[in-house]
Amino acid sequence: MPISRRTALSLAVALLATTAQAQGWPAKPIRLIVPFPAGGGTDLIARDLANKLSTQGYNFVVENKPGSGGGVGVDAVAKAQPDGYAFVMGQTSNLAINPSLYAKLPYEPTKDLTPIGLVASSPLVIVTGASSPYKTLAEVIQASKAKPASINYASSGNGTVAHLTAESLQKVAGIQLTHIPYKGAAQGATDVISGQVQLYMSSVPTLLGHIKSGKMRPLAVTSPQRVNDLPQVPTVAELGYKNFESVTWFGILGPAKLPADIVAKLNADINKALKDPELRKKLEDQGADVSGGTPQQFGQLIREEMVRWGKLVKESGAKLD
């Protein structure tokens, strides 16, 4: 059906307006929401990226907005105006796990958000305090089998990657641990160092500083291969639990219906920033693997991970209101 002259004119005006918006963007500071408290791996990666992008003409204001496994911060961006001035550093918990974990989630990752670019990924590291009697993961498992539920572990919240990874470990090892969820990474780390909590599981960027300072003892990593920054630390798979793997990832997203030119520009500038040797070294020194790629590739990853983690949520029986 041929379109009318008025409709064609309206479409042309809309296209010009979108292009003009993108060409003049960014004209003011941009909110970059981190859906977790300050000090965790997501926060560190977001701030490092924001600082590098500031050299490319951006002014990002990083805002920590924790709650509901990262869902509060993600939802704030899902409901923001699609004008290019609100983005979120999303990650596995709030994009791939929450949709299966929560009975009612206020956002749908594949419909309410626009993927911009994958930034980095990281395995988890299982640690204990430096004063802990446990020197290896095998000792932890042996003690837990001798006295089920006597050993507790901290995570950055119910339904997070760390929580579900610990559930998977308990299943394959045939043990029972006691879960102590925190509202973020920093407090859990403090309590493990002080000895109030016996084990902690979080991304390598979150805990690497504590490990290098000697305050934490690493027992195992959850990647298929050993981590470059922790070459002496075995993988869980090496310890007899074949094919055990858990990796969390981090990426930038905006609200749905973002102008395509803005998406393309920010994606290109993120990829440019991630090729910068200084930023790459900073992220790698924190134990992160630098990613990059197209918005389409990031969107595909989210869809695939929703299926994979959804299965783990179902198997674990975890549910939150």
Side-chain angles (χ1 to χ4, degrees), residues 200-284:
Y200 193 24
M201 197 176 299
S202 192
S203 67
V204 173
T206 300
L207 303 182
L208 189 59
H210 296 304
I211 294 170
K212 288 187 173 181
S213 70
K215 295 178 181 178
M216 289 181 175
R217 179 184 302 126
L219 304 179
V221 292
T222 63
S223 49
Q225 296 85 31
R226 294 195 181 196
V227 174
N228 289 337
D229 287 292
L230 299 170
Q232 78 283 11
V233 182
T235 68
V236 175
E238 280 181 69
L239 299 175
Y241 305 101
K242 190 177 179 182
N243 298 324
F244 190 94
E245 179 183 352
S246 181
V247 176
T248 187
W249 39 262
F250 314 85
I252 301 292
L253 305 96
K257 300 180 181 179
L258 269 176
D261 284 0
I262 289 180
V263 175
K265 175 175 169 52
L266 184 54
N267 173 263
D269 288 338
I270 288 173
N271 281 313
K272 180 181 177 182
L274 293 176
K275 291 177 182 176
D276 179 83
E278 181 185 7
L279 178 60
R280 290 186 70 89
K281 185 177 187 304
K282 187 171 287 188
L283 294 177
E284 289 169 355

Side-chain angles (χ1 to χ4, degrees), residues 155-174:
S155 79
S156 54
N158 283 310
T160 57
V161 174
H163 177 203
L164 291 181
T165 300
E167 290 293 321
S168 296
L169 177 62
Q170 291 176 79
K171 184 176 180 180
V172 299

Side-chain angles (χ1 to χ4, degrees), residues 117-200:
L118 185 65
V119 176
S121 64
S122 170
L124 277 62
V125 58
I126 304 170
V127 301
T128 189
S131 60
S132 166
Y134 304 114
K135 301 296 191 293
T136 66
L137 183 61
E139 290 180 4
V140 172
I141 292 172
Q142 184 179 7
S144 182
K145 285 184 175 180
K147 194 174 181 181
S150 61
I151 297 175
N152 55 35
Y153 77 93
S155 79
S156 54
N158 283 310
T160 57
V161 174
H163 177 203
L164 291 181
T165 300
E167 290 293 321
S168 296
L169 177 62
Q170 291 176 79
K171 184 176 180 180
V172 299
I175 60 174
Q176 185 179 351
L177 304 172
T178 298
H179 182 210
I180 302 178
Y182 286 81
K183 292 183 178 179
Q187 187 182 354
T190 299
D191 286 355
V192 170
I193 292 169
S194 68
Q196 294 184 57
V197 179
Q198 292 155 298
L199 294 176
Y200 193 24

Side-chain angles (χ1 to χ4, degrees), residues 27-115:
K28 61 181 181 180
I30 302 170
R31 294 169 69 208
L32 177 56
I33 291 179
V34 174
F36 293 102
T42 309
D43 182 67
L44 294 173
I45 291 171
R47 292 179 187 276
D48 286 341
L49 178 64
N51 288 337
K52 180 52 63 176
L53 287 172
S54 69
T55 66
Q56 297 176 214
Y58 292 89
N59 180 8
F60 279 103
V61 178
V62 179
E63 176 184 339
N64 295 93
K65 204 174 185 66
S68 301
V72 172
V74 174
D75 187 48
V77 170
K79 290 181 169 56
Q81 291 295 318
D83 56 7
Y85 292 99
F87 295 90
V88 64
M89 178 65 84
Q91 50 95 275
T92 314
S93 293
N94 41 66
L95 298 175
I97 295 176
N98 282 2
S100 297
L101 183 69
Y102 285 85
K104 293 182 180 179
L105 197 66
Y107 61 90
E108 209 288 304
T110 61
K111 294 180 180 178
D112 300 327
L113 296 161
T114 299

